[in-house]
Each structure stands twice: as C-alpha cells, then as structure tokens.
Amino acid sequence: MSFVAEFNSLSVSSLVERSLEVGSAAVRESLAKSSPTLTDFVRLISPAAGEFLETMSHRSQQLTRQRFGKVIRLFAPLYLSNECINNCKYCGFSRDNPILRVTLSVEEVLREARALKAQGFRNVLLVAGEHPKFVSNGYLGECVAALREEMPSVSLEVGPLETADYRPLVTAGAEGLVVYQETYDRAIYQEMHTAGPKRNFDWRLETPERAYGAGFRRIGIGALYGLADWRFEALAVAAHADYLLRHCWKAALTISLPRLRPSAGDFAPRTQISDRELVQLVCAFRLMFPDVGLVLSTREPVKLRDGLIPLGITLMSAGSHTEPGGYTGAGKEHIHHTQRGQIVELASGASEWAATNGHATNATGQFDIADARSAEEVAKLIQHLGYEPVWKDWDAALS
Ligand code: SF4
C-alpha cells in the first residue's frame, strides 16, 4: 500500500481538532514517553504544549546531541534553471510570471559548483523548475555526472520523475532527492496549483517512494508553511515520515520546515506560524523522530536560525542564492523571457520584481532569503555555539 492509500484513510482535520482541545495532563503524559506515537505528536503540537516549550526544547536538544552529536551539516542550493511549466501561486518561477529566466549550461553549473567548493561546501542541492524542454532528464544526468569530481554529495530538488527516470541520476552520482508536498491539504493544493503537471497531488505524494525505489540514499520531505493550517501540515508530514521510516527504511530521511517568503507574483501567505510555534514544531518533530534530520534554510531570519541550532536542527543551508548563476554570475549572457516554452529576447515588460530584487544582471530568484550571511559567517557562528560545522559527511568511495 502506498502512502496515498494510508493518507486517504487518515482524517488529518480531526487530528487538528483534537490537538486544539488537548489539556496539560495529556501533554505531560506524552512528554514522558520514550517512543511517541502520532497521538502523542497531536499533543506535542497543541496550544497546551506551548506552555511546555522549555521542557520540550531541553528534551529535543538532549536527543539531538545523543543521536547526531554536536554537529551541523552545511549545504548550498545550486539553481540550475528557473524555467517552469507549472503555475504555483506562491512561487516566483511560476510559468506566467514575466521574470528573467535562464538554464545554466553544464559548464556554467561546474563554475557555480567550484565557487561553492571554494567557500568550503562539499554538499550541494541541485534545484530546478519543472520544464522537460530546458531541464530534461539527460541534462540533469549530465550535471550530476559533471559534479562527481567536485562534490562528494549531490542531491536533487527537481520536478518529480518516474522510478526508471531517477535510476540514471542515481547511477550518475546523485545520492539524495528532496520533494516537498507544499501542502497536504488537497483542496488548497488544487487552488494553489493552477496549471501544469504539478496539479496531480497523488503523483507528487508518491514521489519519495519512487525515489527510494530508484536507489536514492537520502530522501527529504516537507510542507511549505503559509498555505494551509500549520498543524494540519505538520500532522500530515509526521504521518508521511512515519510511513517512509517503515517502508523506505534504508534511506536517511530529512524533514524541512520552510516558511513562505516574498517572491515574484507577490503571493501573500494564507496562514501564519509564529516563530515560537516553529520552535515548538522543531522540538515536536525531534521528540517524535529522534533519528530524522531536520533542515533549516536561509528563509528564516538570523536570530531564529541561530536560536534553533542547539534545539534540534541537523542540516542548514548558508550563503544561499535562489537564482541560477547566483554565485558567479554564470548564465547572464543568455537571460531571457519565456513564453509558451519559447525563448523571447529581453525587451520591455520585465517583471518589476525581477528588476528590483538586487540581481538585475542575473536571473530572477525563486524567493527572497532572510539570512544573507556568508557560509563562513554561519560556520563561525556554529563553532561559537560549541557545534562543529560539517561540510562533508559522505563520499561515494564509501558505498
Ligand atoms: S514551486 Fe516548483 S513547480 Fe511550482 S512554479 Fe516554482 S519551480 Fe515551478
């Protein structure tokens, strides 16, 4: 049975209602458990558990140190392309946004990777919009293969593929696959995704299983907070993670907790999760899943990122750019608009957002980042907090 069937039999809304009614005694009971269940997770994300944040933080910190040591793995996103055939209301790369677009050549991707390597990175996440014409499977395979000598660890965050199409990417050297469901609320998902193959909710939901079948050794999931109720998303992510731990147990699982950021299209978040609630959620995920990696990106502001380091986070991006060519200016000679899959020369009508986002000579970014510190600054801060920044924890030679 795939997770889709299990998800369909779960009433996430009822769990949210239960969470809102939980009392202190139930929270205490769940906090005392060494192996919490989904019922305990319902309690740990409740408003009542907000009163126990100090205890939760302490437990989360202890567990993380026990399971992972005092280390934070660092990675950088490397954007290959901002072409996309989907319209996702919340994303700057949406097909109908008149942004400045580009797909880097393999040589340009190498340039970007070498710049990241010079900063210390040995772990990159290749990110691209979904566009079979510009970002074909063959192109992705070439990028991964070209990076083999430069980067010991390469993961992908690209449009979902069939298992058979993932296999050559694994063979080429990709070890991880990240796919966010964005929202697990089917109605909101349909409302947010107005055009393109991404409209197929179930196809996306089954992607981690297809990736596992293809042999990826790291799988990343998550929801984008700001679309549906945060407790709804968190419960669905927890159920999904629980399923993957049971059925895809050979892979290392990570959960990301991205919150919406400003982007081209000026989408306003539909819902909020406060900083304090985000901290509670990190702790709840840690207590529920002691061995799962928790990822924090540069979407979050400096103070919150620094505060979360000792509480349960194990993997962080740093010094990130969300536009292709962002680290070196690669690709700026062939920046263009794209209309109906055709490249259109730059003329008037460029997105106002694209012109004012500070990268007018490069392509438009996916979203604004909130922590603009360099990788070196973040690494120093991690050390200052008594943790070790880890740039490399895997080498294909070890497999
Ligand atoms: S979220 Fe992904 S699929 Fe949707 S528009 Fe952005 S890049 Fe394309």
Side-chain angles (χ1 to χ4, degrees):
M1 183 165 79
S2 84
F3 179 62
V4 170
E6 201 164 299
F7 183 64
N8 287 343
S9 66
L10 191 70
S11 174
V12 183
S13 301
S14 316
L15 295 177
V16 174
E17 278 168 32
R18 268 169 53 194
S19 179
L20 296 176
E21 289 162 4
V22 160
S24 304
V27 175
R28 270 195 208 96
E29 191 185 309
S30 290
L31 273 172
K33 294 220 182 132
S34 55
S35 305
T37 60
L38 195 62
T39 301
D40 297 306
F41 189 77
V42 167
R43 295 169 174 177
L44 294 173
I45 61 168
S46 68
E51 303 301 315
F52 294 82
L53 194 52
E54 212 179 311
T55 312
M56 285 178 71
S57 302
H58 187 64
R59 290 274 315 279
S60 175
Q61 183 178 64
Q62 272 183 332
L63 262 179
T64 311
R65 287 184 182 176
Q66 232 175 51
R67 306 299 174 112
F68 294 87
K70 286 181 81 177
V71 300
I72 300 284
R73 286 175 62 219
L74 289 168
F75 76 99
L78 196 172
Y79 278 72
L80 307 176
S81 172
N82 59 0
E83 303 279 0
C84 198
I85 51 173
N86 293 303
N87 264 335
C88 307
K89 284 189 179 173
Y90 49 84
C91 178
F93 292 171
S94 278
R95 184 185 76 187
D96 291 345
N97 283 342
I99 62 165
L100 302 175
R101 301 189 190 260
V102 73
T103 301
L104 301 185
S105 67
V106 176
E107 269 310 305
E108 288 164 344
V109 172
L110 264 175
R111 235 169 93 191
E112 291 275 283
R114 286 177 183 139
L116 288 170
K117 193 174 176 181
Q119 290 180 35
F121 288 106
R122 298 292 183 270
N123 182 358
V124 290
L125 175 67
L126 302 185
V127 188
E130 183 168 2
H131 204 305
K133 180 174 164 185
F134 296 103
V135 187
S136 66
N137 302 351
Y139 165 78
L140 287 173
E142 282 175 40
C143 290
V144 173
L147 292 186
R148 215 170 179 155
E149 296 301 312
E150 303 290 337
M151 286 288 165
S153 181
V154 175
S155 294
L156 300 172
E157 188 182 340
V158 298
L161 301 173
E162 295 282 3
T163 304
D165 294 325
Y166 278 136
R167 282 201 184 102
L169 301 176
V170 173
T171 306
E175 57 148 8
L177 194 281
V178 173
V179 58
Y180 302 145
Q181 188 61 24
E182 319 292 14
T183 175
Y184 285 79
D185 182 310
R186 283 181 185 273
I188 295 174
Y189 188 95
Q190 288 311 317
E191 192 190 324
M192 290 297 114
H193 302 102
T194 55
K198 193 166 172 179
R199 283 179 62 73
N200 189 336
F201 181 97
D202 288 352
W203 163 254
R204 194 168 185 85
L205 197 56
E206 285 177 336
T207 303
E209 291 157 68
R210 293 197 304 278
Y212 181 70
F216 282 102
R217 56 177 298 277
R218 295 189 205 265
I219 307 273
I221 62 167
L224 181 57
Y225 293 88
L227 300 177
D229 174 79
W230 73 265
R231 289 189 175 86
F232 184 99
E233 304 290 23
L235 283 158
V237 169
H240 200 175
D242 182 56
Y243 175 92
L244 292 172
L245 288 172
R246 280 183 279 122
H247 292 88
C248 306
W249 52 272
K250 283 188 199 161
L253 185 67
T254 56
I255 295 175
S256 299
L257 306 95
R259 289 193 292 190
L260 263 172
R261 293 283 305 152
S263 69
D266 292 329
F267 179 80
R270 301 175 77 257
T271 60
Q272 300 292 333
I273 171 169
S274 69
D275 288 358
R276 191 179 164 88
E277 286 166 337
L278 191 73
V279 173
Q280 183 182 351
L281 183 54
V282 167
C283 297
F285 274 134
R286 174 56 65 231
L287 299 188
M288 174 82 183
F289 303 114
D291 297 310
V292 165
L294 295 179
V295 188
L296 195 65
S297 78
T298 52
R299 287 173 181 264
E300 297 306 332
V302 170
K303 211 169 146 201
L304 183 64
R305 293 227 312 160
D306 294 355
L308 277 170
I309 288 173
L311 295 189
I313 295 301
T314 56
L315 186 60
M316 285 175 91
S317 52
S320 303
H321 280 266
T322 70
E323 72 278 18
Y327 301 107
T328 64
K332 69 180 172 194
E333 302 80 12
H334 39 270
I335 281 174
H336 55 262
H337 293 302
T338 304
Q339 284 171 10
R340 296 182 181 280
Q342 299 300 317
I343 288 177
V344 179
E345 294 297 318
L346 281 187
S348 58
S351 156
E352 201 181 302
W353 204 90
T356 57
N357 73 351
H359 304 290
T361 54
N362 291 332
T364 306
Q366 190 176 25
F367 53 84
D368 266 357
I369 59 166
D371 180 354
R373 287 175 299 182
S374 69
E376 191 186 354
E377 285 174 284
V378 173
K380 277 194 181 140
L381 186 277
I382 291 170
Q383 277 168 333
H384 178 73
L385 293 174
Y387 282 68
E388 185 190 347
V390 172
W391 303 91
K392 175 182 174 181
D393 74 340
W394 169 253
D395 195 299
L398 300 174
S399 62

